[in-house]
Amino acid sequence: SIRRQRQMCIRDRGCTNPAATNYNPLATIDNGSCTFTPSPSATHIGGCMDPNAVNYDPNANLNDGSCKYCVTLTLEIDSDNNEVKVLYDTKEEIAAWQFGLQNLEIIEAYGGATEANGFGSYCNIDNDQCAGWTNSGNLIPAGSGELIIIKVEAASATCLENIVVSDYSCLLYTS
């Protein structure tokens, strides 16, 4: 009689590199899953690794999530309706803002993302300063749009001054 014997090999897939933290001594086929702990001699420098951020750190080799970006405020003057619209563009959420307007008599401020997000706002007609802040913890989301509309006596050329914009954790911009 003829007897045939077949040898079966168990082939486990896994990490076959003994230097890896997840080395599997039973694995016979490497599946590319090996992970390694950085060498204690490796220097990790945490910081912002985005070159578009204002706090970019060219020496950082470990992104620590600290990147901050510019906030752009633009004035749009509507002389037909005697309004000055303050527009914003930011990659950061806004928790508070403040600025002054030159050479304008402010009547009131309303609308925009300030009102839509439940912010309190105030414009001092004596010194042409305006401010907006959150009372409820709401933030103006990152993005762009109208920050606030300011009704003035007569809309004319003006500039923003003494600008402060912040999120909950820090100052984003100041002039």
Side-chain angles (χ1 to χ4, degrees):
S1 97
I2 299 174
R3 184 169 183 204
R4 292 190 182 184
Q5 188 174 18
R6 182 181 244 181
Q7 184 176 3
M8 301 287 286
C9 293
I10 298 174
R11 298 184 189 264
D12 281 342
R13 296 183 183 270
C15 177
T16 60
N17 187 330
T21 57
N22 62 334
Y23 168 64
N24 181 352
L26 301 176
T28 56
I29 299 172
D30 194 288
N31 66 357
S33 68
C34 295
T35 57
F36 300 90
T37 303
S39 143
S41 63
T43 303
H44 295 289
I45 302 169
C48 176
M49 295 177 62
D50 183 349
N52 296 317
V54 295
N55 61 331
Y56 168 65
D57 183 351
N59 298 316
N61 59 16
L62 179 65
N63 192 349
D64 64 4
S66 67
C67 295
K68 294 293 176 189
Y69 300 89
C70 288
V71 175
T72 302
L73 296 181
T74 306
L75 292 176
E76 185 178 283
I77 298 170
D78 180 354
S79 56
D80 293 337
N81 294 313
N82 289 330
E83 291 179 339
V84 174
K85 295 177 183 175
V86 180
L87 309 176
Y88 71 96
D89 185 11
T90 178
K91 290 184 178 185
E92 305 282 348
E93 296 173 318
I94 298 174
W97 56 264
Q98 174 182 318
F99 55 78
L101 290 165
Q102 293 179 347
N103 307 319
L104 292 178
E105 286 186 50
I106 297 172
I107 298 172
E108 65 177 328
Y110 57 90
T114 299
E115 189 173 291
N117 290 285
F119 272 46
S121 64
Y122 173 76
C123 285
N124 184 328
I125 58 174
D126 294 328
N127 67 5
D128 301 328
Q129 295 289 313
C130 293
W133 61 93
T134 179
N135 290 324
S136 61
N138 292 344
L139 298 172
I140 295 173
S144 60
E146 286 181 358
L147 183 62
I148 194 160
I149 301 165
I150 301 169
K151 190 78 165 171
V152 295
E153 190 62 43
S156 61
T158 186
C159 292
L160 288 171
E161 61 185 0
N162 304 319
I163 302 166
V164 177
V165 180
S166 69
D167 66 4
Y168 266 127
S169 63
C170 71
L171 197 63
L172 296 176
Y173 180 82
T174 185
S175 68

